[in-house]
Amino acid sequence: MSTESSTWGSPVSSLLAELADRDVKLRLVDGERLEVKAPRGSLTAELRERLARHKAEIVDWLARSERGPGAGGGELPVVRHDPDRLYEPFTPSDLQQSFLMGSREGFEFYVRPHQYGEFEFDELDVDRFRVAFNRALYRQRKNLVVAGEDMLLRTVRDPAPVEFTVSDLRGLPVEEAERRMLRTRESMCRQEPPHDRWPWLAPHLSLYGGGRARFHYNNNNLFADAPSAFRLLSDALHYYHRPQEELAELEVAFRDCVLALAELEESPLGQASKKYWCDRMAQWPGAPELPLVGGAERQGRSMLSRREVLLEPGVRKALRARADARGLTLTNVLLGAHAEVIARWSGSRHFLLNNMITHRVPIHPQMREILGNFAALYPLEVDWRHAEGFEDRVRRLQARVLADTEHTYWSGSKVLQRLNQVRRTPGSAVLPFAVGSALFVGPADPPRYSLLETPQTLLDTEFWELRDGRLWVIWDVIESMFPPGLIDAMLEAYGSLVTRLAEDESAWRARDFELLPAAQRERRARINDEALADPVRPPPE
């Protein structure tokens, strides 16, 4: 692996990663002029301001990238392909290490990570789609890896094409076709994909009605994060609709990128990140203590169920406008509302969440196109103890999020391992409440149905923007761990709070919100009234 170093620090790294994920392309013209090409609506006012502020550093990095190795010296590598070592074993990426450990029996809430989804097509040529899908996989052939018992990854040699299974339900009554597709869902949605062999994908097509098709897809989350999964399906559809247009050959492999990121951990940036996390651990609170069912099994196989909140386009637009006016990102406002709900039901104003952060830093121009898992989980300290309004609390939270994202050059899995060591809780799910924003992916088409299974998690929260303008908030939760009605009440409160923030300017100044459903408020008031009415008797002599 050959690397070159950039000249700037982590704030610019985070900016370029976000621009890349929004499909914003940067090009240096005449050695000094920055040309920006962006999909419509992808450049927010905040991104434009950050681009202008860091223009000089970006131009410098692009210039050094074009000159190649030996151009000079900061600390962020630009990765180069190493074909001679492509098939040598290598250490998994950040989240892959956590997934491989957390999927083993004996760990709390264990399961092999995957996400099942169903996608509808008005019409689909099966053979043509199979060819297109495998062309997309062939483009990623250097990035197809498997995991061994030794916890190392190996690139697959000459990966075979993926076979599709097909159910031909055409000619059946609609009700019968739906029943059979439901049985397909039931057989696939909890199916844990293999880690140790290729293929680790097993797509299925159901043909029904007048030429319609339903694509049943169980993504292997160990080997493909959300941007990877969307990229693979997008590339397959590209080859399906425009088979004559070849996509560019990928210049680097997943292995190259993972090793470059691992090398970065030992750099001054990596060691500064390590110090940032480790120096704060002693003062960290614990995870929020949400009410749990007493005696519930924690060592069994995880069974997450999906809940969701859909917020209308008008709510999203108004909320973004109010956030922009305050210099807050939509992600951090949604995260702040989530923290508000967690704080209310846990009774804690100071707690840790597990925050998903991407490691797709710009170490290569094609970084966003590489199939692989570049995600990481880092502890996010939520401090709601200050006597201030919601806007100021979110501003404090946003500052913490930005500081955290600027110190992701030391592995998140190592941070969590060190935290388990400090607290003497090996093997436990020390931070079982995860949250991640997918707003950086851009507007997405939601699947007809989807289900996530991920290890060592009680509640996994995601924020998405849909192509029709709605906000999609997902909760994947182990229902059996929580008292009946709790998750319903929390989700209802979350939707109401976000809607109020979009519609009511005064809500941003509020220090407290009445989030409990009316029935719970009445029951609590009745209990308090009865307690006050009960005369206090002196203790017996």
Side-chain angles (χ1 to χ4, degrees), residues 209-372:
R212 293 182 62 81
R214 186 169 299 169
F215 183 41
H216 307 261
Y217 183 68
N218 196 14
N219 185 62
N220 193 322
N221 285 20
L222 176 65
F223 301 121
D225 55 20
S228 284
F230 275 93
R231 169 64 60 178
L232 184 62
L233 293 177
S234 175
D235 287 356
L237 290 174
H238 168 89
Y239 284 128
Y240 181 85
H241 292 295
R242 297 185 292 281
Q244 73 284 358
E245 294 182 16
E246 193 65 58
L247 294 171
E249 183 76 8
L250 296 176
E251 298 172 2
V252 295
F254 178 65
R255 183 182 188 276
D256 302 318
C257 299
V258 171
L259 293 180
L261 291 171
E263 180 182 302
L264 188 57
E265 289 194 32
E266 302 305 319
S267 72
L269 272 178
Q271 293 305 297
S273 293
K274 177 181 178 180
K275 178 176 172 57
Y276 170 83
W277 296 105
C278 293
D279 284 358
R280 297 165 51 227
M281 283 183 188
Q283 286 75 45
W284 274 346
E289 295 183 359
L290 286 172
L292 299 176
V293 174
E297 176 59 51
R298 300 177 69 93
Q299 301 295 330
R301 188 237 197 249
S302 171
M303 296 285 282
L304 293 165
S305 300
R306 175 149 290 189
R307 301 294 198 92
E308 59 187 18
V309 174
L310 285 166
L311 299 162
E312 293 303 309
V315 173
R316 178 195 60 78
K317 186 176 181 181
L319 188 68
R320 185 184 288 276
R322 294 191 190 278
D324 286 347
R326 292 166 168 81
L328 301 171
T329 69
L330 182 57
T331 285
N332 287 316
V333 171
L334 294 171
L335 182 56
H338 183 72
E340 196 76 41
V341 171
I342 295 291
R344 169 64 66 181
W345 264 268
S346 69
S348 173
R349 310 291 287 178
H350 190 208
F351 51 85
L352 292 179
L353 298 176
N354 225 359
N355 189 28
M356 184 77 75
I357 298 176
T358 183
H359 275 177
R360 287 181 182 267
V361 294
I363 55 177
H364 190 275
Q366 292 180 323
M367 186 65 174
R368 67 184 183 86
E369 299 186 57
I370 302 299
L371 180 71

Side-chain angles (χ1 to χ4, degrees), residues 123-193:
E123 57 180 0
L124 192 75
D125 182 306
V126 173
D127 290 334
R128 184 173 161 190
F129 185 67
R130 183 189 294 116
V131 168
F133 190 85
N134 276 295
R135 280 184 71 183
L137 279 174
Y138 181 77
R139 182 173 182 250
Q140 300 284 350
R141 61 195 179 279
K142 292 184 292 191
N143 306 318
L144 303 179
V145 300
V146 294
E149 283 297 318
D150 56 3
M151 293 280 288
L152 296 177
L153 301 184
R154 290 166 175 82
T155 307
V156 179
R157 290 181 181 270
D158 301 319
V162 167
E163 294 295 328
F164 280 60
T165 52
V166 180
S167 298
D168 192 346
L169 310 177
R170 292 172 293 188
L172 292 178
V174 174
E175 295 81 5
E176 178 61 22
E178 286 291 345
R179 275 195 293 271
R180 296 200 185 188
M181 287 188 284
L182 181 59
R183 286 203 293 269
T184 298
R185 174 191 299 174
E186 291 170 347
S187 70
M188 290 184 65
C189 70
R190 300 280 182 190
Q191 195 172 83
E192 298 177 73

Side-chain angles (χ1 to χ4, degrees), residues 373-416:
N373 193 321
F374 291 99
L377 285 167
Y378 287 89
L380 173 61
E381 183 180 6
V382 177
D383 190 352
W384 246 231
R385 294 174 295 178
H386 302 269
E388 57 193 5
F390 178 78
E391 176 182 337
D392 292 328
R393 286 202 289 268
V394 175
R395 196 176 309 283
R396 181 187 300 276
L397 182 64
Q398 178 166 285
R400 172 57 62 199
V401 170
L402 289 174
D404 288 354
T405 56
E406 291 174 5
H407 293 88
T408 56
Y409 301 108
W410 199 58
S411 162
S413 63
K414 290 181 180 176
V415 174
L416 294 175

